[in-house]
């Protein structure tokens, strides 16, 4: 694994794929990866082998952002190796049930690893050094580049999750879950514009700062007072895919959802201008 900074227009590293865009927006996709280290692959429980907590197909769902001109970074390793949207000190982000930097359980509470096979502390430190750190270094590098070139930078953190997970939330999750760290990660104008897009349609339910307020990436890099704004979007997966293995992509559903996602991101771009 390589920990060097990758800054070419389009780059592959062992831990992420990065494409540099032409507008002041970086789209981060940290949880779509499916690569496993040998020690994690050999240790997974039977329930975890299908990688059920992956943000399946999110790069495909958001492929349109490249046409808009956005930069895109996509993590390549599974969150079962190391979770790119958790702080490196593994401090919890929520007071309710959640998973950590190294998930010991699946979202439903089932053990991630077979008994006695959890990766060692040394192995996990290497995941921080060679997977977690390079991803975040690239985010930092790109946000700094965007701010230097345009005077401001926008960060959109794209996620998805199964629509029903009783351990994490009651009932069925809203379709569109906007996270702004309770309004601290972006301007009121951005929040209002995104809400307006959601309110203009009646196909999908939505909520602002509900169960998902924004993870580490949103909280760590948003600095509205310094012209860096961030928004997280958590989508209910039933709106673009099957939520059970083999987690198939559903084009018709995805196309309908993209008709809301595209104007939502365009509103972020427009209102995020400084």
């Amino acid at each position: 694994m390589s920990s060097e900074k990758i800054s070419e227009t389009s780059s592959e590293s062992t831990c992420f794929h990065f494409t540099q865009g032409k507008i002041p927006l970086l789209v981060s996709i940290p949880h779509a990866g499916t690569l496993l280290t040998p020690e994690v692959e050999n240790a997974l429980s039977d329930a975890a082998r299908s990688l059920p907590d992956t943000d399946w197909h999110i790069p495909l769902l958001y492929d349109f952002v490249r046409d808009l001109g956005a930069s895109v970074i996509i993590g390549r390793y599974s969150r079962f190796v190391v979770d790119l949207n958790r702080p490196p000190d593994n401090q919890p982000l929520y007071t309710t049930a959640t998973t950590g930097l190294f998930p010991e359980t699946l979202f439903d509470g089932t053990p991630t690893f077979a008994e006695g096979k959890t990766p060692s502390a040394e192995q996990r430190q290497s995941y921080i050094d060679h997977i977690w750190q390079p991803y975040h270094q690239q985010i930092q590098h790109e946000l700094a580049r965007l701010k230097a070139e345009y005077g401001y930078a926008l960060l959109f953190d794209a996620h998805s999750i199964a629509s029903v997970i009783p351990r994490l939330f009651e009932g069925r999750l809203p379709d569109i879950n906007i996270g702004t760290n309770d309004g601290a990660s972006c301007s009121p104008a951005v929040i209002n514009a995104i809400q307006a897009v959601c309110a203009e349609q009646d196909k999908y339910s939505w909520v602002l700062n509900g169960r998902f307020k924004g993870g580490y990436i949103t909280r760590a890099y948003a600095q509205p007072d310094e012209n860096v704004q961030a928004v997280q979007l958590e989508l209910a997966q039933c709106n673009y895919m099957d939520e059970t293995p083999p987690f198939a992509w559903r084009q018709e559903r995805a196309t309908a959802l993209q008709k809301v996602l595209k104007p939502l991101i365009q509103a972020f771009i427009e209102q995020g201008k400084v």
Side-chain angles (χ1 to χ4, degrees):
M1 290 178 286
S2 173
S3 61
E4 73 270 14
K5 181 170 65 182
I6 307 296
S7 59
E8 293 82 359
T9 299
S10 181
S11 303
E12 286 283 358
S13 83
T14 53
C15 54
F16 63 81
H17 176 77
F18 172 72
T19 304
Q20 183 175 297
K22 300 178 180 180
I23 63 172
L25 171 64
L26 171 63
V27 175
S28 163
I29 304 176
H31 289 156
T34 57
L35 291 183
L36 300 169
T37 61
E39 55 271 17
V40 169
E41 184 172 17
N42 293 333
L44 288 178
S45 66
D46 290 342
R49 292 198 178 279
S50 64
L51 307 183
D53 299 340
T54 302
D55 289 12
W56 294 104
H57 310 297
I58 284 291
L60 179 58
L61 185 66
Y62 282 94
D63 191 59
F64 65 86
V65 301
R66 301 178 191 277
D67 293 334
L68 295 178
S71 298
V72 181
I73 182 170
I74 305 168
R76 299 185 66 200
Y77 275 88
S78 169
R79 69 192 306 159
F80 293 160
V81 177
V82 62
D83 192 325
L84 299 171
N85 200 30
R86 297 293 184 269
D89 62 4
N90 204 19
Q91 290 299 305
L93 295 174
Y94 296 98
T95 57
T96 53
T98 187
T99 55
L101 183 66
F102 304 108
E104 298 290 345
T105 65
L106 306 183
F107 288 158
D108 65 5
T110 305
T112 305
F113 299 101
E115 187 174 354
K117 291 189 176 182
T118 303
S120 69
E122 292 77 15
Q123 289 167 335
R124 285 179 163 176
Q125 184 60 50
S126 76
Y127 304 159
I128 294 175
D129 294 342
H130 300 295
I131 300 173
W132 192 98
Q133 289 285 1
Y135 189 88
H136 286 268
Q137 288 169 355
Q138 185 61 43
I139 288 178
Q140 294 163 11
H141 173 82
E142 181 62 6
L143 291 177
R145 184 192 72 81
L146 294 175
K147 188 175 177 182
E149 181 170 347
Y150 299 100
Y152 67 102
L154 306 175
L155 174 62
F156 187 91
D157 204 39
H159 296 264
S160 70
I161 193 169
S163 58
V164 178
I165 305 178
R167 178 173 171 265
L168 298 187
F169 46 82
E170 294 183 1
R172 185 187 182 280
L173 189 70
D175 298 316
I176 297 171
N177 300 265
I178 307 156
T180 65
N181 194 18
D182 287 327
S185 71
C186 62
S187 70
V190 165
I191 294 171
N192 291 339
I194 290 175
Q195 286 184 294
V197 171
C198 293
E200 286 171 0
Q201 57 79 45
D202 58 11
K203 182 176 177 62
Y204 303 104
S205 59
W206 60 280
V207 68
L208 173 66
N209 293 315
R211 172 59 178 81
F212 299 99
K213 301 176 184 292
Y216 177 76
I217 290 171
T218 303
R219 303 183 198 196
Y221 299 115
Q223 295 180 300
D225 292 343
E226 300 296 327
N227 297 333
V228 179
Q229 303 197 66
V231 172
Q232 176 180 291
L233 192 63
E234 189 88 48
L235 296 170
Q237 291 178 334
C238 59
N239 292 297
Y240 71 91
M241 58 171 275
D242 292 341
E243 294 187 345
T244 55
F247 306 111
W249 168 262
R250 296 300 179 187
Q251 183 64 59
E252 185 175 350
R253 295 183 218 165
T255 298
L257 182 57
Q258 287 168 334
K259 291 178 181 178
V260 177
L261 293 179
K262 185 173 181 180
L264 189 152
I265 290 182
Q266 288 173 318
F268 183 29
I269 294 168
E270 180 62 29
Q271 294 302 318
K273 291 179 180 178
V274 174

